[in-house]
């Protein structure tokens, strides 16, 4: 079974490496061929259970190949129709009145609501499911939406394309898994109205009825708690509505390593099943029928197993049957099935069977951190269990000795899980919580045995007992947050490092095994040394005297990272993204962690527009004490949390690692202006290439910059290999005279896909074509990488490497991409 699970894992991994999909018939043929091969191999094994060693090895290899082919074909068979159901390109950017039905559990906050919307048949070009954002424009909040409601909505449509950055979440793969074929936004609520009654709207599906039940339960919870700050946490634990938790609270959970407790994880599903089984077993053994105890009519494991399965299914359905809940249900079903069939298998066999079931159900789980973390944690717990603990005499002795043994076992479990998940945390999040063992030892019992049962139990209790249960749960969660907040403020509460390379991960696996297994310490010390080297490994940086620039994909905004050998500068921090998120926390921090940046030397805020300073607060909190500069009032910069503040004034210059940085605008005698006219302009030049960051500079300021007297002449000082176009490629920026003066070899444009401003403007693109230039665009290519070792080209992150679920990187610069420069 472990070999079969490993083969399926390889098959899923190979499928996710595809740049494009084959015809669906090809995948169907693969599934049929693999199924026939597995059936034939199973028949041969039954007919000839014994055989030569070479025959058994050949049979095992063929079985593994057939299993990999089966899961590869199944994944492709499911992916092809989902790609075909995406929003038609002819409707990209179109505004339509769409009739449909609300799906799932809508999420709400102060900025509006977000929900899935299923358009009614007969509307050509629309996918079966849209994700709609209904903003609270003008302070008018959207109505309370419920699953199954039919609406006619004025929607502005766009493709299901997310931001593409190193370290960022792959939103397009997530939408593919969920069956979301397009995105839509709604700004004018006056045109939204309930849809006309139709026969197809009166037949609510069981799924819609389930979602309507969840919405009603959430409304009941919110009414009972009436604005309590922990209401969102209880909704996340009981109903799977993780969007109800604020960003600040999420940061606390991530810093202390307990974020997994706020998701519908296997631990929660298993705990609910265990509580239901314990209650059912106690009742079953005490009930009698016709004068005989019920266990004499039916053995207790059967009703206990049924109670556990029903409780797990009910809780997972209440939580929305998300992917983590589905994974936990499959694992629990495999374990219960084996136990009821009186099959005693090794834990590795049980874990492998559960992995096979998960991969057959969800082949895209290989790309999800949650799958790796959950299976890794279970494997670590089972490996770390001392064999002596299973012996009867291990629990003998005085009560204090038994209590001490249980405490040691719990501490060892926390130690094993934290060590086993450290490499995976570096891979997926580029950080490891050093206080996670202590924080989990406190939070796991409190949340799983206290907060969670009270939050779920409130739904089955009548008023006013339900409100009492929820208030107790909220008070207990508040009590847990106090020590967690103190732990998060400790020095070195979390360790940040670059994502390890493949060879380092290959060394980390035996190191983790040596530390987790109950071996003597003399055998564990080498593993500890290897793991320490993995955590302390330096991140790759440009060589001394060289310069590197990342233009992040932040949508309609600007955020650029300049790196030298030992210094890092961030120029602008992107826009706010709504729902308590901004480009600083959602894009820049994952990018900086992916690059291994533990500190920043300077954050520049070119001017005070929201699309340039929206993420500044998140950066200031993540890197306390960082210096800031820009055309923003110094007191405002210090209020954001930066350690010092200064203005960007032309003539000031400095050098880092052989790279010269110089402010070119605004002039030294100018008054402080926080609008586009006062935008900072920075030029960074090494001996191998140069970059000019124009902020939101417009044509009048460009001409004034050209007329300023310079010692070496205006054209020599403005000349740069890379120009980051001013004002996102607007019509009034990057004039012909300015382009001739800069004479760039590459131009980068940071803009949002199908943004309402029309950036980059066609006239701007025409001026570039007249100069023989084709820009790199973050809206089409994702984050852009420029390196002075190849100063003539830009590398788009969306095409590194290409994947079938990602929108193609449509740009003429893609033909110039030779060998990638990886961070």
């Amino acid at each position: 079974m472990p070999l079969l699970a490993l083969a399926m894992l390889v098959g899923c991994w190979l499928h996710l490496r595809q740049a494009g999909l084959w015809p669906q018939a090809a995948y169907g043929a693969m599934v049929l061929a693999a199924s026939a091969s597995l059936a034939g191999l199973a028949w041969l094994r039954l007919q000839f259970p014994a055989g030569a060693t070479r025959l058994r090895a050949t049979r095992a290899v063929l079985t593994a190949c057939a299993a990999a082919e089966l899961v590869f074909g199944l994944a492709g068979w499911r992916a092809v129709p989902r790609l075909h159901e995406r929003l038609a390109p002819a409707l990209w950017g179109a505004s339509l009145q769409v009739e449909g039905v609300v799906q799932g559990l809508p999420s709400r906050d102060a900025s509006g609501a977000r929900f899935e919307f299923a358009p009614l048949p007969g509307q050509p070009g629309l996918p079966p499911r849209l994700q709609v954002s209904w903003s609270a424009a003008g302070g008018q909040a959207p109505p309370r939406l419920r699953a199954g409601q039919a609406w006619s909505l004025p929607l502005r449509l766009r493709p299901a394309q997310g931001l593409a950055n190193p370290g960022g979440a792959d939103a397009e793969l997530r939408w593919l898994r969920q069956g979301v074929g397009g995105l839509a936004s709604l700004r004018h609520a006056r045109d939204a109205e309930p849809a006309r009654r139709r026969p197809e709207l009166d037949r609510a599906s069981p799924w819609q009825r389930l979602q309507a039940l969840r919405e009603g339960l959430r409304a009941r919870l919110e009414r009972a708690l009436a604005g309590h700050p922990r209401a969102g946490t209880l909704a996340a634990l009981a109903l799977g509505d993780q969007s109800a938790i604020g960003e600040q609270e999420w940061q606390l959970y991530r810093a202390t390593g307990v974020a997994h407790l706020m998701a519908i994880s296997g631990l929660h599903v298993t705990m609910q099943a265990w509580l239901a089984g314990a209650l059912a077993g106690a009742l079953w053994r005490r009930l009698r029928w016709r004068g005989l105890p019920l266990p004499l009519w039916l053995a207790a494991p059967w009703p206990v197993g049924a109670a556990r399965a029903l409780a797990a299914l009910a809780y997972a359905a209440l939580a929305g049957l998300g992917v983590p809940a589905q994974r936990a249900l499959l694992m629990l079903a495999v374990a219960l099935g084996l136990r009821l069939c009186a099959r005693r298998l090794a834990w590795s066999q049980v874990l492998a069977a559960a992995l096979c079931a998960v991969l057959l159900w969800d082949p895209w789980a290989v790309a999800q951190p949650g799958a790796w973390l959950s299976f890794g944690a279970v494997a670590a717990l089972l490996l770390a269990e001392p064999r002596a603990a299973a012996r009867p005499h291990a629990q003998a002795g005085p009560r204090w000795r038994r209590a001490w043994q249980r405490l040691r076992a719990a501490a060892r479990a926390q130690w094993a899980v934290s060590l086993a998940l450290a490499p995976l945390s570096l891979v997926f999040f580029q950080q490891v919580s050093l206080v996670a063992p202590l924080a989990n030892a406190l939070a796991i019992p409190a949340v799983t045995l206290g907060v969670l049962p009270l939050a779920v139990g409130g739904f089955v209790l009548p008023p006013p007992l339900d409100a009492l249960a929820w208030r107790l749960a909220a008070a207990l969660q508040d009590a847990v947050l106090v020590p967690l907040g103190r732990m998060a403020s400790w020095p070195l509460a979390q360790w940040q490092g670059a994502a390890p390379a493949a060879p380092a991960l290959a060394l980390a696996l035996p190191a983790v095994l040596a530390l987790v297994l109950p071996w003597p310490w003399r055998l564990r010390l080498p593993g500890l040394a290897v793991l320490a080297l993995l955590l302390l490994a330096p991140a790759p940086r440009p060589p001394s005297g060289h310069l590197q620039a990342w233009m992040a994909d932040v949508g309609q905004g600007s955020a650029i990272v300049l790196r030298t050998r030992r210094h890092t500068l961030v120029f602008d921090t992107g826009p706010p993204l709504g729902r308590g998120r901004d480009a600083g926390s959602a894009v820049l921090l994952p990018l900086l962690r992916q690059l291994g940046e533990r500190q920043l030397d300077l954050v520049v805020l070119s001017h005070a527009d929201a699309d340039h300073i929206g993420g500044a607060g998140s950066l200031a909190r993540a890197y306390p004490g960082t210096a800031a500069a820009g055309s923003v009032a110094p007191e405002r910069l210090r209020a954001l949390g930066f350690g010092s503040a200064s203005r960007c004034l032309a003539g000031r210059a400095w050098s880092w690692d052989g790279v010269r940085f110089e402010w070119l605008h605004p002039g030294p005698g100018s008054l402080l202006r926080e609008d586009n006219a006062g935008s900072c302009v920075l030029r960074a030049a090494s001996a191998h290439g140069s970059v000019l960051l124009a902020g939101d500079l417009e044509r009048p300021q460009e001409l004034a910059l050209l007329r300023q007297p310079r010692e070496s002449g205006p054209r020599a000082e403005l000349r740069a290999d890379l120009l980051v176009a001013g004002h996102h490629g607007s019509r009034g920026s990057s004039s012909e005279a300015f382009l001739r003066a800069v004479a760039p070899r590459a131009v980068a444009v940071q803009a949002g896909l199908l943004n309402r401003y029309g950036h980059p403007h066609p006239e701007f693109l025409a001026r570039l074509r007249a100069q023989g230039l084709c820009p790199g665009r973050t809206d089409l290519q994702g984050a852009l990488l420029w390196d002075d070792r190849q100063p003539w080209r830009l590398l788009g992150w969306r095409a590194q490497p290409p994947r079938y679920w990602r929108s193609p990187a449509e740009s003429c610069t893609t033909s110039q991409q030779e060998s990638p420069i990886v961070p």
Side-chain angles (χ1 to χ4, degrees):
M1 187 62 72
L3 179 62
L4 197 66
L6 180 61
M8 289 188 173
L9 195 64
V10 171
C12 290
W13 180 80
L14 290 175
H15 167 75
L16 292 177
R17 305 290 293 179
Q18 286 190 285
L21 290 177
W22 306 335
Q24 191 175 23
Y27 292 111
M30 292 183 67
V31 171
L32 293 176
S35 302
S37 299
L38 288 174
L41 291 169
W43 180 81
L44 287 176
R45 184 172 182 178
L46 292 175
Q47 295 296 320
F48 308 100
T53 303
R54 182 177 300 177
L55 178 61
R56 292 197 301 270
T58 303
R59 189 167 55 198
V61 171
L62 292 177
T63 301
C65 293
E69 182 184 6
L70 174 66
V71 74
F72 185 96
L74 283 174
W77 175 268
R78 296 171 59 184
V80 169
R82 296 194 183 188
L83 284 187
H84 290 165
E85 291 172 349
R86 287 183 168 179
L87 180 69
L91 296 180
W92 291 10
S95 296
L96 297 177
Q97 193 78 17
V98 181
E99 289 190 351
V101 180
V102 177
Q103 302 285 326
L105 185 67
S107 58
R108 301 184 305 273
D109 60 10
S111 63
R114 181 175 297 180
F115 56 95
E116 292 184 3
F117 191 66
L120 294 180
Q123 303 176 84
L126 294 179
R129 183 170 295 186
L130 293 167
Q131 182 170 289
V132 179
S133 298
W134 190 334
S135 64
Q140 182 180 2
R144 192 174 189 95
L145 303 168
R146 291 187 300 172
Q149 287 182 336
W151 283 86
S152 177
L153 302 177
L155 301 179
R156 186 173 187 270
L157 305 170
R158 57 191 178 93
Q161 177 176 319
L163 305 178
N165 296 280
D170 197 335
E172 293 173 52
L173 179 59
R174 183 181 74 248
W175 288 324
L176 177 75
R177 299 172 67 215
Q178 296 173 350
V180 174
L183 309 179
S185 59
L186 187 151
R187 294 186 177 274
H188 303 293
R190 61 179 179 272
D191 296 327
E193 58 184 14
R196 301 185 303 271
R197 302 302 302 177
R198 295 187 183 182
E200 60 265 29
L201 298 179
D202 296 330
R203 297 189 296 270
S205 66
W207 176 254
Q208 292 174 349
R209 286 196 285 269
L210 173 61
Q211 303 308 317
L213 172 63
R214 296 176 65 215
E215 174 61 28
L217 293 176
R218 184 175 66 175
R220 179 182 163 193
L221 171 64
E222 292 174 350
R223 286 195 303 268
L225 292 181
H228 193 284
R230 301 286 84 79
T233 305
L234 299 188
L237 288 172
L239 299 171
D241 184 16
Q242 299 179 22
S243 62
I245 301 180
E247 183 63 26
Q248 297 292 332
E249 194 171 343
W250 271 122
Q251 291 179 4
L252 173 62
Y253 295 144
R254 295 189 192 104
T256 53
V258 300
H260 64 96
L261 287 178
M262 300 303 115
I264 305 300
S265 63
L267 177 63
H268 295 340
V269 176
T270 305
M271 184 58 63
Q272 297 304 305
W274 177 81
L275 290 175
L279 180 61
L283 291 175
W284 190 261
R285 294 182 181 92
R286 286 166 175 77
L287 294 179
R288 304 173 69 86
W289 186 54
R290 293 185 179 181
L292 294 176
L294 287 182
L296 294 180
W297 296 94
L298 182 64
W302 287 95
V304 169
R308 288 175 175 171
L310 290 175
L313 180 60
Y315 175 61
L318 188 66
L321 282 174
V323 175
Q326 295 174 13
R327 187 165 54 242
L329 274 179
L330 289 171
M331 295 179 67
L332 186 63
V334 170
L336 286 176
L338 291 173
R339 182 170 183 180
L340 292 178
C341 294
R343 297 292 303 274
R344 297 185 60 87
L345 298 177
W347 66 265
S348 58
Q349 300 281 345
V350 177
L351 194 63
L355 179 59
C356 291
V358 167
L359 295 179
L360 288 173
W361 179 265
D362 179 22
W364 296 286
V366 176
Q368 301 304 308
W372 292 93
L373 294 175
S374 61
F375 278 99
V378 173
L381 287 173
L382 295 173
L383 281 171
E385 181 185 3
R387 299 297 181 264
R391 300 173 188 169
H393 64 79
Q395 300 299 330
R399 181 177 299 176
W400 67 267
R401 185 182 297 276
R402 296 198 299 269
W404 172 249
Q405 290 172 347
R406 295 192 185 97
L407 182 61
R408 287 186 60 187
R412 179 175 178 80
Q414 289 296 332
W415 163 265
V417 171
S418 300
L419 285 176
L421 300 187
L424 293 176
S425 298
L426 277 181
V427 171
F428 295 121
F429 312 116
Q430 293 79 53
Q431 61 183 9
V432 177
S433 176
L434 302 182
V435 299
L438 182 59
N440 279 280
L442 170 69
I444 287 178
V447 172
T448 57
L449 298 178
V451 179
L452 179 59
L454 288 171
V456 177
F459 294 127
V460 299
L461 294 175
L465 296 180
D466 56 350
L468 177 61
W470 287 327
R471 291 194 186 99
L472 288 176
L476 182 56
Q477 184 67 18
D478 282 332
V480 171
L481 289 180
V482 173
L484 291 183
R486 293 178 179 174
M487 293 179 194
S489 63
W490 289 351
L492 294 178
Q494 57 180 343
W495 178 265
Q496 294 184 5
L505 279 179
L507 290 176
L509 180 59
V512 167
L513 285 176
L515 289 170
V516 169
L517 290 171
W519 290 351
W521 273 106
R522 64 179 181 272
L523 299 178
R524 296 190 195 181
L525 289 178
L528 187 61
V530 171
L531 197 59
L533 290 176
L534 179 67
L535 294 175
L536 298 173
R541 300 191 64 89
S544 182
H546 286 269
L547 176 65
Q548 187 182 85
W550 278 97
M551 281 63 68
D553 181 13
V554 293
Q556 185 62 22
S558 177
I560 304 158
V561 179
L562 298 181
R563 307 173 74 217
T564 65
R565 178 62 178 172
R566 290 183 295 271
H567 295 83
T568 303
L569 179 148
V570 175
F571 189 95
D572 286 335
T573 58
L577 302 178
R579 305 177 60 79
R581 300 167 63 248
D582 55 58
S585 60
V587 176
L588 279 178
L589 287 182
L591 170 61
L592 292 169
R593 288 167 181 161
Q594 180 81 10
L595 298 175
E597 300 291 353
R598 296 191 178 96
Q599 66 179 16
L600 300 179
D601 297 282
L602 182 64
V603 174
V604 178
L605 301 177
S606 63
H607 60 296
D609 284 357
D611 58 334
H612 292 254
I613 67 170
S618 297
L619 282 190
R621 288 188 295 268
Y623 297 95
T626 300
S631 290
V632 181
E635 59 272 13
R636 186 174 178 182
L637 293 177
R638 286 190 290 268
L640 288 172
F642 292 103
S644 61
S646 61
R647 288 190 60 191
C648 54
L649 295 175
R652 296 181 181 178
W654 70 97
S655 294
W656 285 341
D657 307 319
V659 179
R660 176 179 171 82
F661 296 80
E662 182 181 6
W663 299 118
L664 302 184
H665 187 270
S670 61
L671 298 176
L672 175 65
R673 296 188 61 174
E674 296 187 339
D675 57 0
N676 291 353
S679 182
C680 298
V681 177
L682 176 66
R683 183 176 185 269
S686 70
H688 309 277
S690 53
V691 177
L692 184 64
L693 309 181
D696 269 3
L697 207 65
E698 296 183 345
R699 185 171 300 178
Q701 290 75 41
E702 292 176 354
L703 297 178
L705 188 61
L706 293 176
R707 290 193 297 266
Q708 288 181 3
R710 304 289 178 180
E711 295 180 1
S712 56
R715 293 181 183 272
E717 190 170 37
L718 285 175
R719 192 176 300 274
D721 294 292
L722 170 66
L723 170 65
V724 180
H727 204 186
H728 321 288
S730 69
R731 180 181 183 181
S733 298
S734 302
S735 61
E736 293 182 8
F738 187 75
L739 288 175
R740 286 195 299 268
V742 177
R745 304 170 71 182
V747 177
V749 179
Q750 289 186 294
L753 180 68
L754 300 174
N755 62 85
R756 55 178 174 166
Y757 307 102
H759 296 158
H761 197 274
E763 292 188 15
F764 162 77
L765 297 176
R767 289 195 293 269
L768 290 184
R769 285 194 297 269
Q771 300 287 335
L773 297 170
C774 182
R777 297 173 52 175
T778 57
D779 58 338
L780 299 180
Q781 298 171 265
L784 300 171
L785 171 63
W786 177 89
D787 196 289
D788 65 1
R789 288 168 285 182
Q790 295 177 347
W792 60 88
R793 73 182 183 95
L794 291 167
L795 182 67
W797 185 254
R798 189 174 293 280
Q800 298 300 316
R803 295 289 181 254
Y804 69 83
W805 60 84
R806 295 177 185 162
S807 300
E810 300 176 1
S811 175
C812 56
T813 58
T814 55
S815 62
Q816 302 173 7
Q817 295 172 1
E818 302 162 358
S819 57
I821 301 175
V822 295

